[in-house]
Each structure stands twice: as structure tokens, then as C-alpha cells.
Amino acid sequence: MTDLTADEARRIILRAQGFLGAGSRSGGVRGMLRRVGAVQLDTISVLARSHELVAYARLGPIGRASAERAYWHDPAQAFEYWCHAACILPLEHWPLYGFRRRAYRDRRYRWHEVPPTVDKILDQVRRDGPITTTDIGGAKNGGPWWDWSDSKISIEYLLDIGEVVCTRRVGWRRVYDLAERAVPGDLLSGDLPDADGVTALTSIAGRSLGVATRADLVDFTRVKGKYADLLDEALRSGAAGLVPVHVSGWPAPRARRGPAGDGTANAWADPAALESEPRGRHRTTLLSPFDSLIWERARAERVFGLNHRLEAYVPKHKRVHGYFAMPVLAGGRLIGRVDPAREGSTLVARQVGFEPGGSRAGAVEAMRTALWEAASWVGCTSVRVERVTSPEHEAPLRAALAAEPPDGSA
């Protein structure tokens, strides 16, 4: 069994997630999607939508339109489905999710009872697709967001069970088509048995995360009950291709589960990631709160010492870091947070906070670089900071931002 320091684990994770080393940029957006395995979607758009921010964080200021085409293209290169949450997934992963589609079909319920209109909606997609919810009568009955119309419930159920698929969006609306038209035949007919699908997803999660606890793997795949048991068996038997490791400072596994076997291992790793020391240049960037590097709070705190949560749904007077506070990654560490907004051609940092420790000058320069690069990427020509929560950083940051922007940032 391999012993890792917490710092070694952190660097392996950064490389696996595409934030360390030149090779992490190969293949553009599609290569990035295959490396991370799943890119979470969300409706919130501040500087950009989260799936755009995830690509930007790893690849730098790529064209936003080209990123969209790389995710959703004709023919389809990816599809939307349930992994860690609603995610963009590589199209070749379609057969792996057969266990989830079968479970939804057996359950015949997901947030809402499936209405009798489901067959009618399927016929409409077959006849008129690709279509949006507008084409089938709208998404809501006019009440709260969860008060879906029967048409919306039907189309989402058909998505859950794999009769229809979303392979692109228009104006943030899903475009639905028959899976048999959008998914290549060899993938469509290749659904794996439950155990094989869960095993394959566990392997993908392990490679994407680099080093992960069992809880991290479960969080990535969102399996529970008998499917979580299949994940444990895939780890225990070695079928997932991951090896047990011990990371100093990480918590011991729960004795109730303990698939590592010998009681000393507290995590799992991709063996290929252990073969060489992570080297290369670190990215300096803003991170979406939904980025897979930090999307799980316990893991973000364990790896980076940062307790972070999305405060968009927290009452304004109770927010600590801001509506859409974005952690700032620099030198392989999370050095602060920015709550961004846009006003015309100005990127506004409503609030900037710095984490304790490290060099003040280094943190200020990293924050300056991250803000200017993000501003340039979204077409802003100036940066304005409204509030800095740490007095010792405020004057240096304002002075740094008042100077000429870094080369290529404006």
C-alpha cells in the first residue's frame, strides 16, 4: 500500500483535475470533459454559466462560443444526465448509465408522479423532434419552479429512462430528441449490467479525482443502496482499477464499510497517477463553486483547508462571502474568494477575501492576475473592487489593480 502526505495527494488531485502540468490542456474542451468525467450544470450565470467556467478554469481564455460547440455539437459529442448532479457527460459513457435508467423506469417517479401524457409526448418527439419544452406546452403551470406542467414531467421522465436525450441547449433550454436518433447505435445497444456500469463509473470517478475517499467516490457517482454496495465490491475486488492508499491527516474510513480491507488505507487512487510526481505549471484562476475540484464541501476542506458553500440561496443579510463567491486557485492552493458581477464592460468584485497564511504579495499578485484574466475572457476592459475583507490586503490589491493589467489581459 502507498503512503501519501496530504501535500502529495493534493498535487495528484490537481494534476488529475487538469490544473497542474501542460498535458492537462491537450484535447481542448472535449479532452477536458473526458478527463474530469462529468461537468456539472447550473442555471446561475454571473460571469458565465458554470460549465463554461469549468472549461475556462483549466484551459484559459478560450472562446466561449467554441466551448459551447465543443460540448454540444452536431453530431452529438456529449449528453446530459445524472451523475454527481445534472451533468454534461461524454457520449461514450451512455452505456454506463443503464443501471440508473432502469432504476428510474422501475420506480416510475421522480419528484412528480408520471402523468398519462408521457406516451403522447414521446410520440410528439418522434414526430417533431428535436424539440424544447416550449414546443410541448411549456415547463410550468405558472406557480413555483417545482410546479411543472404534465408535459414537462413527461419529457423529464423520458430523459431519465433514456427514451429521449438532451445533447444541446438553445438559450439555456434543453433540446430533446429520441435517443435512437442522437446516440450512435453501438452505444445505444450497449447498456452494461448494473455491476459493470457502477464499476466503470467508479473507475472514472477515481481517475478524475486522482485520490479519493469512498465518500468522495459515492458523491461523484451519487449511488446509494444496492448500487453503493456494488461500488464497494468494485473497490474491494479491484475491478474498478483503483488501489488503496493512506493519506496522512485524512480521516480513517468508517469501520462499517471499510472496503479497503486492511484497516490502514483511508483513500483510493488511480495507480497511473502514482507512477510519476506531478510537475509543471499551476493554473491561477477563478473557480466555479460547482467545479469538480471543490464541488463537495468536505473534500474541499480536507484537500485545501477551505470551508466553502454556495450562498446564492442564503438570505442576503446572512451571506459571508457573497452571492456567487468563487474560490481563487493559485500555486495549487485556494488563496481567496471573489464575489463577481458585471456592469457593462467592468468586472466588479463585490467582495474579495484572502485566506490566512502565505505571502501577502504573492496572494495579491495572484488575485490581480485571476481578476484581469477573467475580465478579459468575458469581454470586460476594467476591474473594480468594492470591498476587501482583509485590511492588510486592501491597499496593495487596489494599487495592483490600478496599474497596467497583465500582458494579454485587456
Side-chain angles (χ1 to χ4, degrees):
M1 184 184 66
T2 301
D3 290 309
L4 298 171
T5 66
D7 188 64
E8 288 170 335
R10 177 183 57 82
R11 289 172 60 81
I12 290 171
I13 289 165
L14 287 165
R15 182 176 62 183
Q17 280 282 298
F19 292 104
L20 174 60
S24 62
R25 301 186 64 174
S26 63
V29 174
R30 291 177 189 168
M32 180 276 300
L33 176 59
R34 290 183 176 91
R35 278 189 291 276
V36 300
V39 171
Q40 185 175 348
L41 290 158
D42 195 79
T43 58
I44 297 174
S45 181
V46 178
L47 296 181
R49 294 203 186 273
S50 186
H51 65 283
E52 297 176 273
L53 294 168
V54 167
Y56 160 75
R58 290 158 176 79
L59 304 176
I62 56 174
R64 295 176 63 187
S66 63
E68 287 290 309
R69 287 193 298 271
Y71 279 129
W72 292 297
H73 195 262
D74 188 13
Q77 302 292 323
F79 71 107
E80 290 186 27
Y81 201 61
W82 304 101
C83 185
H84 165 82
C87 291
I88 304 174
L89 304 164
L91 191 59
E92 59 265 31
H93 291 184
W94 175 272
L96 282 55
Y97 289 86
F99 77 94
R100 188 156 284 157
R101 292 190 287 267
R102 289 187 291 270
Y104 284 140
R105 188 182 293 272
D106 292 343
R107 186 181 180 194
R108 201 171 172 79
Y109 179 88
R110 198 166 189 285
W111 292 329
H112 307 81
E113 295 286 349
V114 178
T117 55
V118 66
D119 292 333
K120 175 184 174 183
I121 296 300
L122 181 58
D123 287 341
Q124 186 174 350
V125 179
R126 181 174 290 113
R127 182 182 68 248
D128 302 331
I131 62 176
T132 69
T133 50
T134 301
D135 300 318
I136 59 175
K140 296 195 294 183
N141 284 325
W145 71 266
W146 62 85
D147 187 21
W148 286 359
S149 68
D150 282 355
S151 297
K152 172 67 172 176
I153 297 169
S154 296
I155 198 72
E156 290 299 319
Y157 175 69
L158 291 169
L159 182 81
D160 287 346
I161 66 175
E163 291 290 341
V164 305
V165 64
C166 172
T167 58
R168 63 188 174 96
R169 287 183 179 241
V170 174
W172 195 240
R173 290 176 298 167
R174 278 176 172 163
V175 179
Y176 304 88
D177 200 1
L178 291 181
E180 62 196 58
R181 284 199 289 250
V183 180
D186 60 330
L187 297 176
L188 193 66
S189 62
D191 277 8
L192 298 178
D194 290 0
D196 293 349
V198 172
T199 296
L201 284 183
T202 304
S203 178
I204 289 167
R207 289 198 305 270
S208 169
L209 298 176
V211 182
T213 64
R214 176 191 179 272
D216 296 336
L217 297 170
V218 169
D219 177 73
F220 187 105
T221 58
R222 289 291 168 93
V223 292
K224 58 184 179 180
K226 66 179 182 180
Y227 303 111
D229 292 338
L230 291 174
L231 179 146
D232 286 337
E233 179 55 30
L235 293 175
R236 186 181 298 110
S237 68
L242 305 178
V243 295
V245 297
H246 179 267
V247 183
S248 59
W250 285 24
R254 291 183 181 180
R256 182 176 63 86
R257 290 287 185 177
D262 64 5
T264 59
N266 58 0
W268 298 86
D270 172 18
L274 301 177
E275 292 177 356
S276 61
E277 182 181 349
R279 296 179 182 276
R281 183 178 179 183
H282 286 282
R283 278 284 290 149
T284 296
T285 185
L286 301 179
L287 294 174
S288 164
F290 303 108
D291 194 295
S292 53
L293 184 69
I294 56 169
W295 64 17
E296 208 281 309
R297 288 178 67 184
R299 178 173 169 85
E301 187 164 11
R302 183 189 334 123
V303 175
F304 296 104
L306 187 77
N307 187 335
H308 186 77
R309 69 164 176 161
L310 179 69
E311 296 181 335
Y313 306 108
V314 174
K316 187 174 182 179
H317 69 281
K318 293 185 178 181
R319 291 174 190 157
V320 176
H321 301 289
Y323 174 81
F324 195 74
M326 300 178 67
V328 179
L329 180 72
R333 302 187 183 278
L334 299 179
I335 57 101
R337 286 172 256 221
V338 175
D339 184 31
R342 289 181 64 182
E343 293 181 4
S345 61
T346 300
L347 186 153
V348 180
R350 298 197 186 281
Q351 181 170 302
V352 175
F354 290 86
E355 294 302 301
S359 161
R360 183 180 68 180
V364 165
E365 180 58 27
M367 186 68 71
R368 170 180 178 260
T369 298
L371 288 171
W372 270 116
E373 186 183 83
S376 177
W377 176 58
V378 298
C380 290
T381 56
S382 61
V383 175
R384 186 178 83 244
V385 173
E386 292 186 343
R387 179 169 181 258
V388 181
T389 60
S390 48
E392 67 273 21
H393 292 89
E394 181 165 10
L397 178 62
R398 293 189 184 281
L401 290 171
E404 288 295 316
D407 291 343
S409 295

